[in-house]
Amino acid sequence: HPFFDAIDAFGDAQLASRVAIVHRAVEYARARLAELKRERQLVGFDDLIRELAEALAGPQGEVLARAMQQQYAIALVDEFQDTDPRQWQIFRRLFAQADDSGSLRALFLIGDPKQAIYRFRGGDVATYIIAGKAATGRHRLDRNFRSRPLALQATQALFELGGEGAFDQPDIEFEPVQPGGACLDA
């Protein structure tokens, strides 16, 4: 009946207006925060990443990249699973892509994709997987110095029950480790 269609349309319009209000509030809050930061001359961690990515993509990006590459030849990124796509873009641009200078450059990424579930600071497991596929070499840390040997055995037994694909995430498998010897079961 047209009356019920009108009720549905009214409900949809109410929901759309609420969503629009939330989007406007978020846009306002972002703009206001940026304005306050400019006024107070404040820069946050995310601002540094955004501004460097924008500068590298800008008209002077090549000059900036060369200057940074001359100053920093090697980068080591620990906890790489917490890296977001923008950070990976920066690291890849500065350290992983070959240039014509022939200068030595290296990028070492250290991380555990199973920890990416925490999504710390926007980290994302897809970025980790993409970077891993681009890597020219991979090395495993096969000794655990923190956990008790029986805990490691129990964890391995649990994931062996799940078999391949236990994490239900393509390109991430359980990798067993040996105890490092410093932590005893007792």
Side-chain angles (χ1 to χ4, degrees), residues 13-180:
Q14 276 191 317
L15 178 60
S17 68
R18 287 186 203 137
V19 169
I21 288 171
V22 169
H23 282 282
R24 280 195 295 267
V26 168
E27 288 171 17
Y28 172 79
R30 285 186 179 143
R32 182 69 179 132
L33 179 60
E35 182 182 329
L36 289 171
K37 283 181 177 179
R38 275 191 304 277
E39 288 173 4
R40 297 175 185 177
Q41 298 180 348
L42 300 173
V43 178
F45 181 75
D46 292 331
D47 299 321
L48 294 173
I49 294 168
R50 179 183 39 77
E51 289 176 14
L52 178 56
E54 289 172 0
L56 286 169
Q60 296 297 313
E62 196 57 42
V63 173
L64 174 61
R66 277 195 304 270
M68 292 185 75
Q69 289 166 343
Q70 287 174 354
Q71 188 171 1
Y72 305 102
I74 298 172
L76 185 148
V77 183
D78 196 10
E79 303 295 347
F80 185 75
Q81 74 276 354
D82 297 331
T83 300
D84 66 31
R86 182 177 279 162
Q87 292 169 345
W88 169 234
Q89 173 189 358
I90 292 168
F91 295 131
R92 189 183 69 224
R93 171 79 158 65
L94 294 176
F95 300 102
Q97 294 177 343
D99 65 8
D100 298 333
S101 71
S103 61
L104 174 67
R105 286 204 326 251
L107 175 61
F108 297 93
L109 309 174
I110 301 167
D112 180 353
K114 295 177 291 301
Q115 292 182 33
I117 60 169
Y118 302 120
R119 295 192 53 86
F120 177 73
R121 296 194 66 80
D124 121 64
V125 73
T127 299
Y128 181 95
I129 291 169
I130 289 167
K133 287 180 178 179
T136 57
R138 288 185 100 151
H139 305 279
R140 291 182 57 236
L141 298 176
D142 60 358
R143 296 193 97 44
N144 181 320
F145 290 88
R146 295 186 201 172
S147 302
R148 296 175 187 259
L150 288 177
L152 294 174
Q153 288 175 13
T155 301
Q156 182 173 339
L158 177 69
F159 282 102
E160 283 175 350
L161 288 174
E164 282 192 38
F167 290 105
D168 196 30
Q169 172 72 44
D171 302 310
I172 298 177
E173 294 295 335
F174 176 78
E175 296 186 27
V177 296
Q178 298 300 313

